[in-house]
Amino acid sequence: MTGGAMEPRGFTIPLTPSGQAAAAAGPPWYFGADVIQVEYHVAEESLLPFLPPGVELDPADPGLVQVAFSTMTAASAEIPSQHCTAPHDVNFNECLIKVRTRVGDAPGWFVTHSWVTNDVSLLRGFVQGFPKRIGKVAVTDFHSLLEQTGGRRPGARLGGVLEAPDGLRLRVLHACENEGSPDDVAALPFYLRRHFPALQPPYEGLVDEIVSPVVVEWQNLDVWAGRAEVETTGSSEAAVLVTPVDTPTSRSFRSTSTITGSQLVHRIRG
Amino acid sequence: MTGGAMEPRGFTIPLTPSGQAAAAAGPPWYFGADVIQVEYHVAEESLLPFLPPGVELDPADPGLVQVAFSTMTAASAEIPSQHCTAPHDVNFNECLIKVRTRVGDAPGWFVTHSWVTNDVSLLRGFVQGFPKRIGKVAVTDFHSLLEQTGGRRPGARLGGVLEAPDGLRLRVLHACENEGSPDDVAALPFYLRRHFPALQPPYEGLVDEIVSPVVVEWQNLDVWAGRAEVETTGSSEAAVLVTPVDTPTSRSFRSTSTITGSQLVHRIRG
Amino acid sequence: MTGGAMEPRGFTIPLTPSGQAAAAAGPPWYFGADVIQVEYHVAEESLLPFLPPGVELDPADPGLVQVAFSTMTAASAEIPSQHCTAPHDVNFNECLIKVRTRVGDAPGWFVTHSWVTNDVSLLRGFVQGFPKRIGKVAVTDFHSLLEQTGGRRPGARLGGVLEAPDGLRLRVLHACENEGSPDDVAALPFYLRRHFPALQPPYEGLVDEIVSPVVVEWQNLDVWAGRAEVETTGSSEAAVLVTPVDTPTSRSFRSTSTITGSQLVHRIRG
Amino acid sequence: MTGGAMEPRGFTIPLTPSGQAAAAAGPPWYFGADVIQVEYHVAEESLLPFLPPGVELDPADPGLVQVAFSTMTAASAEIPSQHCTAPHDVNFNECLIKVRTRVGDAPGWFVTHSWVTNDVSLLRGFVQGFPKRIGKVAVTDFHSLLEQTGGRRPGARLGGVLEAPDGLRLRVLHACENEGSPDDVAALPFYLRRHFPALQPPYEGLVDEIVSPVVVEWQNLDVWAGRAEVETTGSSEAAVLVTPVDTPTSRSFRSTSTITGSQLVHRIRG
C-alpha cells in the first residue's frame, strides 16, 4: 500500500503521476513579450528601503527605475502542446517594477514588485524570486490593424493599466515617436530575491538568496521610442517607486527569451 | 432643482454628464479580430429548436455550423483614446456559435450563443442582439515569435478553450496547413435577435426583432486553412451545437470591420 | 425547415429550447443581501448633472447620498435549483450609489451607478434600469465567527472595496457601535432609468423611461449603526458622488426582498 | 548606498519596508470556513500513484476520499485590519481533495489537489504544501435567509462547482437531512508535501518534506448530514479522485481554526 515504484512527479506541487499538474512546470521556459517600458528617476532615499542586503543602487545611474507593462506568452518545455491546449496557462499580462542596482561591480535590475494575471506565472515567478501578486493588468494590443483599437505606428499611443490588490493604481502612456534599435534596450541581468520561508518562529527565509535568471537566448526587436506619461493613484507603499521626479521616457519592443534556471549571486540566509 | 439644461448622456446606462460612463459607448464601433474558425455539420433537427420565427436553415447547406474563437479589440468612436487609456475595456476574447440560415432568400449566420471576457463587449453585444454571457475564453496568441508559445506558421497548431457558466467546456484545435485566400472566408451577414423584455407579465419582448449589423468596412486577411479538432464536455443544452457529425475543418485569419448600427430584418413582437 | 412549433424561449437572449440559457432569467427574483450602507451629503450642484428629466433632488434632504456595499444572493423562480447547481450565477457582490430624489411629490432613491461581480446580475440589472458595470467589489463577511476575519459584533469594523473600470477606487469602513431598528432603514422606492438604445442615428433611447421596481416582500433585519469612513482615489467622473462634504454615518443590516417587475413612473422617450 | 539598517521585511516576497506587501503574510493564520464535505471511496489502485514516499493508504479505510467545497475567510495576525481594509485578500472559495492515509501508525488526510479563488490563499498554501491552483470555485451561501437563494435548513440542498484550469469540472450536491454532531467531523491532521524546487538540473526539491500544519484551535459546529451527488466531466488526470465507486455521503458544517506553522513529519529530499 505504499506509493509504489512510480513516484508522483512535477516541478512544483501538486506532484502527480503525469508530472504535468504542477502549477508551474519546469524549465526551460520560453517567453515572448510585447513590452511597454517606461523609464525615469525617483529620489535615491526612496529606493534604499526596498533593497535587500548586498544589493546597492548603481552609482552609474542611481535612482533609475523602469516600469514594464507586457503582454506575455510563456510555456514550459515539459508541456509541449500547452500553447494550443491550455492558452489560459500560457498567455498573461504583467506589470513589473525594477530598480537599477549593482551587486559588487555587476550592474543589474532588482525587481521590487510584479503583478500578473494568471497563477502559472505567479508560481513560476515565486520559485525564481519574482515578487508577484495577481492584479488587474491591461495593455494596448501591439498587433491591432486599426489605429482606433491599438497597434504601433508613427504617432501611435499605447497604454498600460495596473490595479493592484493594495489599492495602487498605475497608468502609463507610451508614444511611438522614433524607431529605435534593439541595442537601445539594455540587456542587464535581473537580480531576484529567491525566498522560501521556514514555518517555525521566527519564520525567516529557509531559502533566502539573491539569484539571477540564466537566460540562454534573448532577442529584442521592433523598437519604438517616445515620450511617456505615468499616473499613480492610491496610497500604496509602492507608490514612491512609480512617482517620477523627472520626465519619463518610454520604449516599446518585442522580446523573446529562454530561461533555463537561476544562478546564485549570494546567500542572505539558509 | 431639476436635472438642468445639460441632460445626462450616453449610449447605454449609466447616463452621465460626460456621456462616457456608458457600459457600451455608441457606434461606430471599430473591431479587430484574430479568428480561429471551425466549421462542421450537425443534425438538422438539432438546430431547428434554436431558430427564431422567420429564420430557417439554409437549404444550400443545412446543418452547417461555425464556431469562432477570437482575440478581439473593439472601440467606440465616442471614446477616442480608449485603446490606450482603458485597454481592459477594448481587449477581450470571444467564442461564438453561428448556424447557416436564411431569411427569405437571403443567406446569413444566425448567432445562437456567444461568450466574452469583458462587460463592455457583453453589453454592446446585448443591445445588438448578440446572445452573450461572460465566460472563460482563451485563445493561442497569433503573434508569438516562438513556436513553443504560439504564432501561425506552416505546421503550427492553435487552440481555443471555452468554459461556460452552464458547465459547457469546448476545446478546438486548428492546424495551419495551407495558406488560403480572404475570399475563402464567407462574408455573409449576421442574423441577430435583438430583444429587450417587458417587465410586466407575460414578460415578453418589448423589442423583439431580427436584425443584421450594418458593416461598412470588412476586411479579412492572412488566411490559413487546415484540419481541426473539436472536443466538448459537460451537459449543456448547447452541446449539440458543438458536436460535429462530420470531420471539422478550420481556418484562421485576421479581420477588421466597422459597425455603424443595425438594420431591421423583421419584427417578431413589439 | 422553419423554427417549428416550439419557439426558443427565455427572458433575455440567448433564447433557447429550455428557456434557461438566458443571461438573466425572468422574475420573480428573490434577493438576499448583507448590506453596509454609508450615508452622507455632497454639494447639490454636483448631483444635478447626474439626474434624468423629471427626477429632482428631494427638497426634504437635498444632497443626500448613500453608498451600499452588499454581499448578494439572487435567483429567478424560473430556475428553481440555481442556488445549488450554479451558485456562481446566484452569488455576487455589489456596490451601488443612490441619490435622494423625488418624482413629483414621491421621494425615492435614484441610482446613478452600480458595479457587480457577475454577468447575471449585470444583465438582470440592465433590463431593469440599474446602471451596472462589472467591477471588483469586496465586502467583509458578515458571518465570520472570528473577529480577525469578519463578523458583526460590538466594536467590529467592516469594509467594502470597489475598483471600477474607469479608475475609481472606493473604500468604506463601517463600525458596529449601536444596535439599530429595521425601521431605521428607510424603505423608499428606487428610481431607475430603464433604457434600450436605437441602433440608427441619433442612437437615442428606443425605450427610455423612469421606472420603479415592484417589491412585493421586503424585510430588513439585524441592524447595526455607527461611524463611517469613506476614501476615494482615482479621477473618475463619479468621484464627486463619493466625496462627502460632511461626516458620514453607516449602517449594516441583512435584507430579503422579492421583485416581480417594474412600474412605469414616466416616459422620457419612446 | 546600501540597503541600510532597515532591511525589507515580509513572510514571503515581495519583502518591503512595511513587511505587509507579502503575497502571504505570516502566521498565526485565522481561518473561518463554511464547508460542504463529500465522502466516498475510489479504487485503491487509483490512489496509489498520487501518494508521496512514506505516505500510505490507511488500512483502516483504504480508498476513502473527501472533497470539500468551502467559503473561506483567512487572515494573518501580521495585518490586523485586513478583514475590513482588504476583504478581497481575506475572502475566498476553496475546493480540496484529500485521501485517507497514514504515516507510520498515524492516520491523516493527504491533500492531493486544491483550487482557490485568490492569490493570497494560493501562496499561503504553497509555502505550507497545499498543492493549489487558481480555479473557478462557487459554493451555495450557508447564510441565505431565503430558501430560493441558499441557506441550511431541513430539506435544503447546497452545491459546489469547480472549474479547474486543466478542464476538470466537478459539481457536488449536499442535502441537509439530519442534524449531526461536531464529533462526526473527523479531526485527523493534514499531511502536506512542502516542496520548493532547485533551479539547477535536475530541478528536484530543494525543500521536499512531508509536514503537518500545527492547528492550535479547531472547532467545528452546526453540522448537517445527508445524501450527496458528485458529477465529474472533463479528461483530467485528477478525475479518478472524484469518481466514486460507492454512494457518496455528505456533511456541511462551519469551522474555525488557527494555524501557527508546520511540523515536520519526514524529509523526502533536501
Side-chain angles (χ1 to χ4, degrees), chain B residues 14 24 32 36 48 50 54 66 74 85 106 121 145 159 180 186 224 226 243 252:
Chain B
I36 297 172
L48 295 176
F50 289 91
Q66 283 186 351
T85 60
S121 169
L145 297 165
W224 281 90
T243 306
S252 62

Side-chain angles (χ1 to χ4, degrees), chain C residues 94-243:
Chain C
E94 184 177 65
C95 175
L96 191 141
I97 302 176
K98 48 192 172 173
V99 175
R100 176 65 69 86
T101 56
R102 69 172 186 186
V103 174
D105 288 334
W109 295 102
F110 178 71
V111 179
T112 63
H113 295 79
S114 172
W115 297 268
V116 291
T117 55
N118 80 0
D119 63 341
V120 171
S121 169
L122 182 77
L123 282 168
R124 183 178 51 223
F126 183 82
V127 300
Q128 292 182 83
F130 283 100
K132 295 183 177 183
R133 288 213 53 187
I134 300 279
K136 178 173 167 182
V137 184
V139 190
T140 302
D141 181 10
F142 276 38
H143 306 286
S144 176
L145 298 164
L146 296 176
E147 65 183 63
Q148 292 93 344
T149 59
R152 294 191 301 156
R153 54 185 71 80
R157 289 184 309 148
L158 297 95
V161 174
L162 164 72
E163 285 175 11
D166 72 345
L168 178 71
R169 192 170 198 272
L170 174 61
R171 197 156 68 82
V172 304
L173 281 178
H174 155 65
C176 291
E177 293 177 329
N178 311 297
E179 287 194 60
S181 151
D183 300 336
D184 301 339
V185 182
L188 294 179
F190 280 126
Y191 291 131
L192 304 173
R193 185 171 194 166
R194 187 167 131 89
H195 180 276
F196 190 71
L199 280 171
Q200 289 83 32
Y203 306 109
E204 291 191 333
L206 187 63
V207 177
D208 191 1
E209 55 196 25
I210 302 299
V211 300
S212 195
V214 178
V215 184
V216 292
E217 291 178 27
W218 191 356
Q219 197 179 359
N220 296 315
L221 61 164
D222 296 347
V223 182
W224 281 90
R227 70 186 192 289
E229 294 172 26
V230 177
E231 180 193 279
T232 308
T233 59
S235 56
S236 164
E237 164 184 42
V240 64
L241 300 171
V242 286
T243 305

Side-chain angles (χ1 to χ4, degrees), chain B residues 21 33 38 60 83 131 149 157 196:
Chain B
V38 178
H83 67 284
T149 58
R157 289 185 308 149
F196 190 71

Side-chain angles (χ1 to χ4, degrees), chain D residues 18-237:
Chain D
S18 73
Q20 301 207 344
W29 299 304
Y30 308 104
F31 294 89
D34 294 348
V35 186
I36 298 172
Q37 185 179 280
V38 178
E39 189 172 292
Y40 51 83
H41 291 80
V42 306
E44 296 176 40
E45 60 273 22
S46 301
L47 298 179
L48 294 177
F50 289 91
L51 299 186
V55 177
E56 303 175 314
L57 292 184
D58 185 355
D61 199 345
L64 183 65
V65 175
Q66 284 186 349
V67 170
F69 278 89
S70 305
T71 304
M72 303 288 298
T73 55
S76 162
E78 291 183 357
I79 310 181
S81 297
Q82 195 173 16
H83 68 284
C84 56
T85 60
H88 47 283
D89 283 344
V90 169
N91 304 340
F92 63 101
N93 291 345
E94 183 177 65
C95 175
L96 189 141
I97 303 177
K98 49 191 170 172
V99 177
R100 176 66 68 87
T101 55
R102 69 171 185 186
V103 174
D105 288 334
W109 294 103
F110 179 72
V111 179
T112 63
H113 296 78
S114 172
W115 296 269
V116 291
T117 55
N118 80 359
D119 63 341
V120 171
S121 169
L122 181 76
L123 282 169
R124 184 178 50 222
F126 183 80
V127 300
Q128 294 182 82
F130 283 100
K132 296 184 176 182
R133 288 213 53 187
I134 299 280
K136 178 173 166 181
V137 183
V139 190
T140 304
D141 181 9
F142 274 38
H143 306 285
S144 176
L145 298 164
L146 296 175
E147 64 184 64
Q148 293 93 343
T149 58
R152 294 191 300 156
R153 52 186 71 79
R157 288 184 309 148
L158 297 97
V161 174
L162 164 72
E163 286 175 11
D166 72 345
L168 178 71
R169 193 172 196 271
L170 173 61
R171 196 158 68 82
V172 305
L173 281 177
H174 155 64
C176 292
E177 292 177 328
N178 311 296
E179 288 194 57
S181 152
D183 301 335
D184 301 340
V185 182
L188 293 180
F190 280 125
Y191 291 132
L192 304 173
R193 185 171 193 166
R194 187 166 131 87
H195 179 278
F196 190 71
L199 281 172
Q200 290 82 31
Y203 307 109
E204 291 192 333
L206 188 63
V207 177
D208 192 1
E209 55 195 24
I210 302 299
V211 300
S212 194
V214 177
V215 183
V216 294
E217 291 178 26
W218 191 355
Q219 195 179 2
N220 297 313
L221 61 162
D222 296 348
V223 182
W224 280 89
R227 69 188 191 289
E229 293 173 28
V230 177
E231 180 193 278
T232 308
T233 59
S235 53
S236 164
E237 163 185 42

Side-chain angles (χ1 to χ4, degrees), chain B residues 62-212:
Chain B
L64 184 64
V65 174
Q66 283 186 351
V67 170
F69 278 89
S70 306
T71 304
M72 303 288 298
T73 55
S76 163
E78 291 184 357
I79 309 181
S81 298
Q82 196 173 16
H83 67 284
C84 56
T85 60
H88 48 282
D89 283 345
V90 169
N91 304 339
F92 63 100
N93 291 344
E94 183 177 66
C95 174
L96 189 142
I97 302 177
K98 48 192 171 173
V99 176
R100 177 65 69 85
T101 56
R102 68 172 187 187
V103 173
D105 288 334
W109 295 103
F110 178 71
V111 179
T112 63
H113 294 79
S114 172
W115 297 268
V116 291
T117 55
N118 81 358
D119 63 341
V120 171
S121 169
L122 181 78
L123 282 169
R124 183 178 52 222
F126 183 82
V127 300
Q128 293 182 82
F130 283 100
K132 295 183 177 184
R133 288 212 54 186
I134 299 280
K136 178 175 166 181
V137 184
V139 190
T140 303
D141 181 9
F142 276 37
H143 306 285
S144 177
L145 297 165
L146 297 176
E147 63 184 65
Q148 292 92 343
T149 58
R152 293 190 303 156
R153 53 186 70 81
R157 289 185 308 149
L158 296 96
V161 173
L162 164 72
E163 286 175 11
D166 72 344
L168 179 70
R169 192 172 197 270
L170 173 62
R171 196 158 68 83
V172 305
L173 281 177
H174 155 64
C176 291
E177 292 175 329
N178 311 296
E179 288 193 58
S181 152
D183 300 336
D184 301 339
V185 181
L188 294 180
F190 280 125
Y191 291 132
L192 303 173
R193 185 171 194 166
R194 188 167 129 89
H195 180 276
F196 190 71
L199 281 171
Q200 290 83 31
Y203 306 109
E204 291 190 333
L206 188 63
V207 176
D208 191 1
E209 56 196 23
I210 303 298
V211 300
S212 194

